[in-house]
Amino acid sequence: MTPKRRRLSIVLIGLTMLGAAAALVLTAFEENLVFFFSPTELQAKEIAPDRRIRVGGLVQENSVASFENGLRTEFTVTDLEHSVKVVYRGQLPDLFREGQGVVAEGKFEGGVFNASEVLAKHDENYMPREVADALKKSGRWQHATEKQ
Amino acid sequence: MLRDFLEMGGYATYVWSSYAVVLVVLAGMLIASLNALRARDSELKALEERVGGRRQRRNQGRVEEMANDA
Amino acid sequence: MNWFHWFANPARFMRLAARLQPWIMVLGLATGAAGLYYGLFDSPPDYQQGETVRIMYVHVPSAWMAMFVYTMMAVAAASFLIWKHPLADVAAQAAAPIGAGFTLMALVTGSLWGQPMWGTWWVWDARLTSVLILFFLYLGYIALVNAFDDPERGSKAGAILLLVGAVNIPIIKFSVDWWNTLHQPASVARMDGPAIDPSMLLPLMLMAAAFKLYFLYLLIVRMRGELTARRIRLLRLSDAA
């Protein structure tokens, strides 16, 4: 084996082992790498009552209700299989709206999720308003709410 | 019209700061790189002149030595 | 492999680069001007994000460059370690500060976009965190290369760090698919075509091309500087001997 060949195989073997190690570590820590849980994932796991978690999904259509002059907001986060009722006091991000993605951070208190922070999550689609309207009109609108 | 454009639908701070940051970093990298290149080029030139001059003298000395030896 | 060796000759490379340099600048300025025109004046606001979508035209090209430059450096590191191409090491060292700059731009513009849209400047989700790690990899590489008295050893240690850190690149790219993140999945590089309207894709692509050309220009300038620095070092050594 020439020195070049030897160095090439060292690098290739090293990279393969590194990749395998990284994959193992990332799989082992998956629980900590996810930013939020979906309502369905929450169904399957036992959450300690005072543990702070994040719930993510879509704001269910027609679920947003505002109280106390907009100081308190209640809405439902859904992944279209299960849903979680959220109560939040505070300022909502500009992108917060029904049918859009949302991530709420807080604790479960008696079946309701008491959020201390609400972040909006947008999807990967970018288009002008006219295009969105035209798509909706022609029935080709594939919104996340209807897609899954 | 111009005001609408500058206001960016109420997001002027965020949009214009983004473009400003990008402009500053891009320009900064160019200026720093060009300055470093210029400084090194002149350093190399000065060094070449000094070393070259010394070598020439050294070589001249050697030529004279050889001449004396002969 | 022949062209590769031909290209690896520093003097020949520098002659070619010097000839290409003005063209790269002209082309880069032209695409950049067109990208800015379409991005700021002649493209519609997004149906959800409004005018903040214009941040995309600088944020996304910066993020692409941050990953592209690192990938290029990792390839250079491999060819330096395996085939001992000195020019590969020069390229990696010259590219590092530019890559760090692009990563910083991606982080800051992303933050300026996240605050109005998501409602936060920063979150520790997998995408944002892995890009921050990329930034530290660039800084770590620059520090490591310069930490040795013997530049050859610095180059080698740096190249190994670059290869180890390369594992972060697929993590950045696929973080949004593998884990729940606040950051949305890819809009352009996806299986069933871009999810961006053509009117917005045009300025994005123009800016991406401009950023790449700008990087090329900067890389040539910095590689010339690095090659000159090495000649200075050699001259000093031979002079002292």
Side-chain angles (χ1 to χ4, degrees):
Chain A
M1 219 198 288
T2 63
K4 265 179 208 173
R5 268 284 168 96
R6 195 172 51 84
R7 291 197 297 262
L8 177 63
S9 31
I10 290 174
V11 167
L12 286 180
I13 292 168
L15 282 178
T16 314
M17 282 165 61
L18 192 73
L24 283 175
V25 170
L26 293 177
T27 318
F29 286 98
E30 183 166 19
E31 179 91 343
N32 301 304
L33 289 168
V34 294
F35 186 64
F36 59 85
F37 299 114
S38 69
T40 304
E41 285 164 344
L42 285 177
Q43 286 281 322
K45 64 173 63 206
E46 206 57 49
I47 302 286
D50 50 346
R51 189 182 154 200
R52 288 184 68 80
I53 53 160
R54 294 193 197 91
V55 184
L58 298 164
V59 181
Q60 194 158 50
E61 303 277 356
N62 305 318
S63 76
V64 180
S66 164
F67 304 94
E68 299 163 36
N69 290 326
L71 278 173
R72 183 163 60 97
T73 315
E74 294 187 15
F75 55 93
T76 306
V77 174
T78 177
D79 57 10
L80 307 174
E81 277 180 42
H82 295 92
S83 53
V84 169
K85 192 163 166 59
V86 178
V87 178
Y88 172 63
R89 289 174 167 278
Q91 179 92 42
L92 289 163
D94 292 4
L95 212 59
F96 177 90
R97 56 197 71 154
E98 293 183 344
Q100 281 286 312
V102 74
V103 177
E105 184 179 341
K107 291 177 200 163
F108 274 109
E109 272 161 27
V112 227
F113 191 76
N114 213 332
S116 56
E117 189 175 26
V118 170
L119 302 175
K121 176 177 161 63
H122 61 83
D123 60 23
E124 66 272 38
N125 298 302
Y126 296 86
M127 63 187 93
R129 181 173 296 282
E130 306 83 72
V131 174
D133 290 344
L135 279 176
K136 277 177 190 159
K137 210 178 263 174
S138 69
R140 284 185 295 141
W141 182 250
Q142 282 224 317
H143 198 271
T145 339
E146 294 118 54
K147 199 161 50 182
Q148 286 167 356
Chain B
M1 192 54 201
L2 180 69
R3 218 167 122 180
D4 280 354
F5 171 68
L6 289 176
E7 273 173 5
M8 280 287 156
Y11 294 113
T13 331
Y14 303 105
V15 175
W16 295 122
S17 313
S18 295
Y19 279 81
V21 165
V22 166
L23 197 74
V24 166
V25 176
L26 286 181
M29 289 195 296
L30 182 65
I31 292 166
S33 305
L34 285 175
N35 278 347
L37 176 63
R38 215 168 294 139
R40 278 166 177 170
D41 274 345
S42 56
E43 190 185 348
L44 178 68
K45 217 172 152 199
L47 197 66
E48 267 172 344
E49 268 164 23
R50 216 171 62 223
V51 174
R54 211 176 302 153
R55 274 215 189 120
Q56 219 161 21
R57 257 170 280 142
R58 216 185 291 154
N59 287 349
Q60 203 137 26
R62 236 174 259 151
V63 171
E64 276 160 21
E65 262 171 47
M66 283 200 292
N68 289 344
D69 283 351
Chain C
M1 230 39 209
N2 236 342
W3 63 271
F4 196 62
H5 288 288
W6 184 89
F7 211 59
N9 177 322
R12 213 159 11 197
F13 170 81
M14 265 14 273
R15 271 200 304 276
L16 180 71
R19 216 173 312 146
L20 285 176
Q21 232 180 334
W23 294 103
I24 294 172
M25 189 45 124
V26 168
L27 214 59
L29 286 175
T31 46
L36 279 177
Y37 169 74
Y38 284 108
L40 289 173
F41 299 98
D42 201 6
S43 60
D46 182 63
Y47 79 117
Q48 289 291 345
Q49 308 199 46
E51 304 285 346
T52 60
V53 73
R54 302 189 198 284
I55 299 175
M56 173 169 73
Y57 308 132
V58 285
H59 170 73
V60 172
S62 304
W64 282 346
M65 289 312 295
M67 290 168 68
F68 172 82
V69 173
Y70 192 94
T71 309
M72 184 222 95
M73 285 166 65
V75 171
S79 66
F80 173 67
L81 287 176
I82 298 167
W83 296 287
K84 306 257 174 207
H85 283 313
L87 203 59
D89 178 47
V90 172
Q93 290 194 32
I98 320 174
F102 280 121
T103 315
L104 184 69
M105 279 156 51
L107 287 169
V108 174
T109 54
S111 193
L112 285 164
W113 197 3
Q115 171 60 25
M117 288 297 105
W118 297 344
T120 180
W121 299 101
W122 180 263
V123 289
W124 295 99
D125 82 345
R127 169 57 73 83
L128 276 65
T129 309
S130 55
V131 174
L132 186 67
I133 291 173
L134 177 68
F135 183 61
F136 290 140
L137 276 170
Y138 277 120
L139 298 188
Y141 170 76
I142 296 169
L144 184 63
V145 163
N146 294 306
F148 290 83
D149 288 330
D150 176 7
E152 179 74 16
R153 289 183 65 190
S155 300
K156 228 178 223 173
I160 292 169
L161 174 69
L162 283 179
L163 286 181
V164 172
V167 79
N168 191 36
I169 292 296
I171 293 179
I172 295 177
K173 168 76 188 132
F174 296 110
S175 55
V176 287
D177 303 323
W178 290 343
W179 305 294
N180 289 337
T181 52
L182 187 61
H183 196 286
Q184 74 285 359
S187 296
V188 177
R190 27 176 263 153
M191 296 302 242
D192 39 356
I196 300 183
D197 190 79
S199 58
M200 300 168 172
L201 198 57
L202 175 70
L204 179 60
M205 287 309 172
L206 283 170
M207 290 300 273
F211 274 38
K212 192 152 278 176
L213 289 162
Y214 197 81
F215 163 69
L216 255 179
Y217 186 88
L218 274 178
L219 181 68
I220 293 173
V221 170
R222 297 193 64 87
M223 281 180 76
R224 287 173 58 187
E226 178 64 26
L227 283 169
T228 314
R230 288 182 186 205
R231 283 189 60 193
I232 292 172
R233 209 150 53 213
L234 271 177
L235 262 177
R236 286 242 166 84
L237 278 175
S238 70
D239 192 35

